[in-house]
Amino acid sequence: MALIGVFDSGVGGLSILDEALHQLPEHDYIYLADSANAPYGEKSSEWISARSLALCRHLVQEGCDAIVVACNTATAEAIAKIRTELSEIPIIGVEPGIKPAAMQTQNGIVGVLATEATLNSDKFNALLATLPAHCRIIKQAGAGLVPLIEAGSADDSETLELLATHLLPIQEAGADTLVLGCTHYPFLRQSIRMLLGESITLIDTSEAVVRQLKRQLEAKYPRKQDWANTDAGSVCFISSKDETKLLKMAEELMSTDLQAHRLSAALLSDLRS
Ligand code: DGL
């Protein structure tokens, strides 16, 4: 079995962990939530980059064979640096699925809901530049949504109201496709459907990210054929704020039956640099 680290600013990366446990349940996982510092999306590039690298170093010290940076913001600001410094293991990032959106849109109008840092990043803007000219992209920062999700209020009326404000420009532009460009946002799927209806196509890249993780594990560790077809592995939830709350939120937010896995929880100890 591989030990896979999954890291996010908070509970958003649970949407990726959920998919990983569906596709690759046999592995062991460490889920690292930096909830004491969420949201990342309104912090400086330098801060996000240094903190993300420190947390990934910690996951390597814990023995991880691969890391999923399950945060669009951290990927946009830090993935290149993390890959350079931790070159011994596969590092998989996530980014807003604007390419699949451009392929699936019928009317050429695509909304992207992401954090401010992601939307302003060079990486995201380089990705935008590769899109076909017929695509019109409506960018919208989801300010304030992450703290509400972190507080366990994803389904509250306050969240719905804020979401409605953020989605209005996308709705008014007539987008037929919406990219969920932050790993926290799949937890708003129901509210988004309530506001935008059933016909809008929602793009969430978690399935593709986990397929990429699988390919990279197979490429890096080709001899470990015995990884498949074994029982469910363990999941250790580490939080920089409150590990008991993290475990409880994982049980509430994820569709995986976590009880099939060996579970543990820990508070993030001081980071060695
Ligand atoms: N889940 C993160 C992302 O995908 C988090 C954002 C934040 O902490 O602001 O961008």
Side-chain angles (χ1 to χ4, degrees), residues 6 33 40 60 66 96 114 119 127 135 137 160 168 180 205 232 257-258 268:
V6 179
Y40 277 15
V60 169
L119 295 177
L127 188 64
C135 258
I137 302 289
L160 192 67
L168 196 60
L180 305 180
T205 57
D257 175 14
L258 283 174
L268 181 66

Side-chain angles (χ1 to χ4, degrees), residues 110-122:
V110 173
V112 183
L113 188 64
T115 68
E116 185 147 4
T118 298
L119 295 177
N120 290 336
S121 68
D122 294 344

Side-chain angles (χ1 to χ4, degrees), residues 11-230:
V11 297
L14 292 172
S15 59
I16 305 278
L17 178 67
D18 208 8
E19 181 59 34
L21 292 176
H22 284 301
Q23 287 190 41
L24 305 168
E26 66 277 15
H27 294 302
D28 295 323
Y29 292 85
I30 295 178
Y31 183 81
L32 177 49
D34 194 14
S35 294
N37 291 299
Y40 277 15
E42 288 141 44
K43 292 191 160 64
S44 72
S45 302
E46 295 71 27
W47 187 94
I48 297 165
S49 173
R51 181 70 181 169
S52 302
L53 180 60
L55 291 170
C56 289
R57 275 204 198 107
H58 180 74
L59 288 170
V60 169
Q61 283 159 0
E62 293 288 317
C64 287
D65 299 299
I67 294 174
V68 183
V69 179
C71 176
N72 291 265
T73 309
T75 300
E77 301 289 12
I79 197 97
K81 200 164 170 189
I82 296 169
R83 285 195 176 125
T84 308
E85 298 228 0
L86 305 174
S87 57
E88 65 274 25
I89 61 167
I91 308 285
I92 293 92
V94 299
E95 59 187 8
I98 55 176
K99 278 194 179 163
M103 275 165 19
Q104 289 183 46
T105 177
Q106 299 291 313
N107 69 4
I109 308 173
V110 173
V112 183
L113 188 64
T115 68
E116 185 147 4
T118 298
L119 295 177
N120 290 336
S121 68
D122 294 344
K123 196 167 187 331
F124 178 74
N125 285 292
L127 188 64
L128 269 190
T130 65
L131 288 190
H134 73 269
C135 258
R136 189 172 150 220
I137 302 289
I138 318 294
K139 297 189 274 178
Q140 177 64 48
L145 291 173
V146 167
L148 288 167
I149 299 166
E150 287 291 312
S153 307
D155 297 325
D156 290 6
S157 56
E158 189 191 347
T159 311
L160 192 67
E161 269 170 42
L162 182 61
L163 188 59
T165 315
H166 289 325
L167 292 178
L168 196 60
I170 293 171
Q171 204 168 13
E172 284 180 347
D176 69 352
T177 305
L178 174 66
V179 176
L180 305 180
C182 167
T183 52
H184 281 74
Y185 299 162
F187 298 124
L188 300 175
R189 192 181 283 272
Q190 255 186 320
S191 305
I192 293 172
R193 285 258 171 250
M194 206 187 291
L195 292 163
L196 299 183
E198 290 301 317
S199 61
I200 192 153
T201 304
L202 299 183
I203 305 285
D204 161 13
T205 57
S206 49
E207 254 185 71
V209 168
V210 176
R211 280 200 303 273
Q212 175 67 357
L213 166 65
K214 184 167 188 278
R215 275 194 294 275
Q216 294 232 17
L217 284 172
E218 286 166 356
K220 174 82 183 177
Y221 309 105
R223 300 234 186 100
K224 301 202 173 173
Q225 301 298 348
D226 57 337
W227 276 355
N229 303 321
T230 53

